[in-house]
Structure formats: structure tokens, C-alpha cells
Amino acid sequence: MVKPNDLRGLIDLTKTTQTLLTHFQSSLASSSGAPNASDPQVSSADIPNSLEVVKTCTTLLRSHTTTLSLLLLTPPLTPSALITKIGDVSSGALSGLVAAAISTPQAGQKDELGVLMRGEVKAQVRRLIGTWDDVLAIVQRLSEKRQTAQGKGKTKDEGPTESERQDVLAATGVVWEACDALLKLCTDGVVGLVIKKAQELRSVLLDAIEELKEWGEDVDNEDDDKAECSAGEFDNEDEIFGAANKLGKGDKELKALLDTSVKKLKMVGLLYQALIKRRLKTFSAQAQAQAAASASGPATNGDAKHASINPVVKLDELMVLLKAIPETADDLASAFYDLDEDEAKRTLDKCSGEAKSAVALVKKSWTGADDEFTVWSGKWVDAFDAA
């Protein structure tokens, strides 16, 4: 026999736990990443490998959620078991997960993850917490329904309706999906994440190139169509509203700049491929060697300022540049659509500078040595400047 006080305690626990989850979300959203007094106690000494902690806590949370789901689906509702399970999740799996996600290396400690990876971990943990908040809402709803039934004298618990069962299963499935995504992130590690991001950014860049190329190729077709019309007439609405930003045959200088821009951007797309293969995929294997090499003494060649950078910091800087290039390419396309030649030149110079900065940053391997990419990158810069 379920006691009314048990149900009341379960309902109260769901509400206080939801408040706790809101606080966790706020901590994870903090730009500084610094915990405050009410956050889970975070010590880098206690969390030497935050990804392993995230992985362990996520696996535990997935298991707890499965058990909680079964408790909700199997009548009668057992508040004491649910209270214990929710308490285990909030004080164990979730607290550990948040503590690992917001932990940062202390002064003098080596950063194993970097800004990009830490940001991705935080984002995925926030998503996972949001999915578990939905599970708590279902627990509260079923508990309040049972409390109301008891108030009407109904002693037998008939269990959840089919609709409620589907809600429980759906919410559980969403939690599982978020857990699996976070576990994959931990398994793939920093290298897996940066490769995925770089491939996505390259795709965005290639889309921008294709759109710009198609816009330029429309020139001859548009002019031929207009020649068949009398002055001031248009074939359709597209010509009426698109005429203002069409490149005419008389815009030879702008057309030449467009051709140069498309050629250079294609070369940047090729650069992404080379960086993914020769630098991002080799990061894990060479980063430790680079750290040891940098500790042995300062570099003495012309690339000293890049060779001495911590590998994880250098990787973050590279990803910032790789993210900026497609954004600048979009700005370049906008300048062409506005038929603004001066702005197009400035934006192309900016995009070119970003690409060459990326090359210079990782011209040498992670160990600071010349390799195949070093030679290739020199040839690429020469060809890029000549394009």
C-alpha cells in the first residue's frame, strides 16, 4: 500500500531535482566555465581525465534511466524505489557529469582537451540534462495522477495508460540517444571531433564556392536572354527582382575578380583536405612528442613562435581559422552579389590571409619537424599567391 506521504515526497523530490538541473544548466552555460559555491565540487586533481569521468557517469546515467523507466511502466507505482533512483542520479551520475564537464586545468597543468572539445562536452552534457528533465516531468505527472486517484478512494493502481507508456518510452529513448552521442564523443576524443568539424566546415565552404560559381556562370545566359527582349522588358519575375545584382558583360574587372576568387577558394578547399589528412589525423600520435620536444628547449628557426605553442592550444587556433574561412567566404559572396568590387577585394584578401595563417600555424609537424605537408604547403602558398 502506497502511503500518501510517499507520493508527496516523490513529487517534492521531482520539483527540487528539476531546480537542481536548472542550476546545472546555468553552470554549464557559463562562458567562464568557473564553478561557483553551489556547483559540484571540482578539483582537477580529483578529475585527472575528465573524458573518462564523463564516459563513466554517462554510462551510469543510461543504466539508471532504464531502471527508472521500468519502474514507471510496471504497476503499482513504487515511490520509495523512484525516490532512491532519482537521488542516486542527482547525487551521483549527474553531479559527476557536470563536475567533469566544467572542470578546467589549473595553472601549470597540461590541457588535454582544449577549448573546442571542452565546449562540445559542455553542450552535449547540457542536452543530456535537458532530456533527463523531461523524464522527471513524466515522473511528476504520473505521481500526481496516482495521488489524485488515492484522494478519490481508488486503492488499486492500474498503471500508466497506453499514451503514458509511449511517453515514458519516448523520453527514455531520447535520453539514450543523448547518452550514446556523448559516449561517442568521449570515444572519438579530440581528434575525432576536430576531423568531424573540419569536414563540416569544408562542406560549407564548397557550398559557398558552388553558389558563387553558379552566380558567375549565369552572366552569359542572362545577357543572352536580355538581348532577345526589348529595352526595359523582362521575361519573368526573377529577372525583375534579380536584375539589380546581376553581373553584366561590361563588368570585366569584377568578373575577373570573381574568377580569381573562385579559383582561390577551390584551392582553400583542397587545403582543408590536406590539413585533415596530414595534421588533424596525426594529432594524437604526435602531440605528446611535441610536448616533450618543446620542453627540451626553445626553437631556434624562423618558425619558433609556432613550434613552441602547446599542441592543444595550436589545434584550437587552427580550428578557429578553419571556422572563420567559410564565414569570410560568405561575406565575399555577399560583396559580389552587391556588385561591390572594393569590398570583394578586401574580403578576398582577408580570406586569403586566414588560409595562409592556417598553413603557417601547422607548417611543421606536431613534433616541430619538416615533413611531407611542410613541402606541400610551401608549394601550395606559391600557387595560391599566383592564382
Side-chain angles (χ1 to χ4, degrees), residues 80-100:
S80 59
L82 289 167
I83 288 172
T84 299
K85 186 58 60 178
I86 293 172
D88 289 342
V89 168
S90 59
S91 63
L94 282 178
S95 292
L97 195 58
V98 174

Side-chain angles (χ1 to χ4, degrees), residues 25-96:
Q25 294 278 33
S26 177
S27 298
L28 290 163
S30 172
S31 59
S32 65
N36 56 45
S38 54
D39 282 330
Q41 294 301 306
V42 182
S43 169
S44 56
D46 295 334
I47 309 178
N49 189 330
S50 55
L51 282 189
E52 283 301 317
V53 176
V54 169
K55 190 173 181 179
T56 299
C57 291
T58 302
T59 302
L60 185 58
L61 179 60
R62 196 183 196 283
S63 176
H64 282 322
T65 304
T66 302
T67 303
L68 188 71
S69 174
L70 292 174
L71 289 172
L72 292 174
L73 294 173
T74 307
L77 195 70
T78 51
S80 59
L82 289 167
I83 288 172
T84 299
K85 186 58 60 178
I86 293 172
D88 289 342
V89 168
S90 59
S91 63
L94 282 178
S95 292

Side-chain angles (χ1 to χ4, degrees), residues 117-171:
M117 186 64 171
R118 291 186 185 282
E120 187 68 19
V121 169
K122 281 186 179 182
Q124 292 208 22
V125 171
R126 286 191 71 197
R127 179 193 171 212
L128 178 52
I129 289 175
T131 65
W132 217 77
D133 190 47
D134 293 337
V135 172
L136 281 176
I138 293 176
V139 175
Q140 180 180 340
R141 190 163 69 245
L142 293 179
S143 301
E144 290 175 341
K145 172 190 172 184
R146 183 61 190 141
Q147 186 181 51
T148 300
Q150 281 189 343
K152 294 180 180 179
K154 295 182 179 179
T155 58
K156 183 179 179 181
D157 185 354
E158 298 178 352
T161 64
E162 181 58 31
S163 176
E164 290 167 340
R165 288 178 60 86
Q166 292 304 316
D167 288 344
V168 171
L169 292 173

Side-chain angles (χ1 to χ4, degrees), residues 125-268:
V125 171
R126 286 191 71 197
R127 179 193 171 212
L128 178 52
I129 289 175
T131 65
W132 217 77
D133 190 47
D134 293 337
V135 172
L136 281 176
I138 293 176
V139 175
Q140 180 180 340
R141 190 163 69 245
L142 293 179
S143 301
E144 290 175 341
K145 172 190 172 184
R146 183 61 190 141
Q147 186 181 51
T148 300
Q150 281 189 343
K152 294 180 180 179
K154 295 182 179 179
T155 58
K156 183 179 179 181
D157 185 354
E158 298 178 352
T161 64
E162 181 58 31
S163 176
E164 290 167 340
R165 288 178 60 86
Q166 292 304 316
D167 288 344
V168 171
L169 292 173
T172 303
V174 174
V175 173
W176 285 350
E177 181 184 351
C179 286
D180 291 344
L182 188 51
L183 289 172
K184 185 177 188 307
L185 176 65
C186 294
T187 300
D188 291 347
V190 176
V191 174
L193 175 64
V194 296
I195 290 174
K196 177 185 175 183
K197 293 291 185 183
Q199 290 171 337
E200 291 173 350
L201 292 168
R202 180 175 180 270
S203 295
V204 173
L205 175 64
L206 294 182
D207 287 343
I209 295 172
E210 190 60 29
E211 290 180 9
L212 197 55
K213 181 182 176 183
E214 290 178 358
W215 180 76
E217 289 174 346
D218 284 342
V219 175
D220 292 336
N221 293 334
E222 290 291 332
D223 286 343
D224 289 343
D225 291 342
K226 289 179 182 179
E228 297 175 1
C229 302
S230 59
E233 294 181 345
F234 298 89
D235 286 335
N236 53 47
E237 287 185 353
D238 289 339
E239 289 187 15
I240 295 175
F241 296 110
N245 69 341
K246 293 297 183 182
L247 187 61
K249 286 186 176 180
D251 300 319
K252 293 183 178 180
E253 291 185 2
L254 192 58
K255 181 62 167 66
L257 181 60
L258 173 64
D259 293 341
T260 298
S261 298
V262 170
K263 185 176 181 180
K264 284 183 176 290
L265 290 177
K266 286 182 177 180
M267 292 184 67
V268 176

Side-chain angles (χ1 to χ4, degrees), residues 93-116:
L94 282 178
S95 292
L97 195 58
V98 174
I102 65 177
S103 67
T104 54
Q106 303 300 309
Q109 278 191 323
K110 183 180 177 182
D111 187 357
E112 298 285 351
L113 301 183
V115 175
L116 180 66

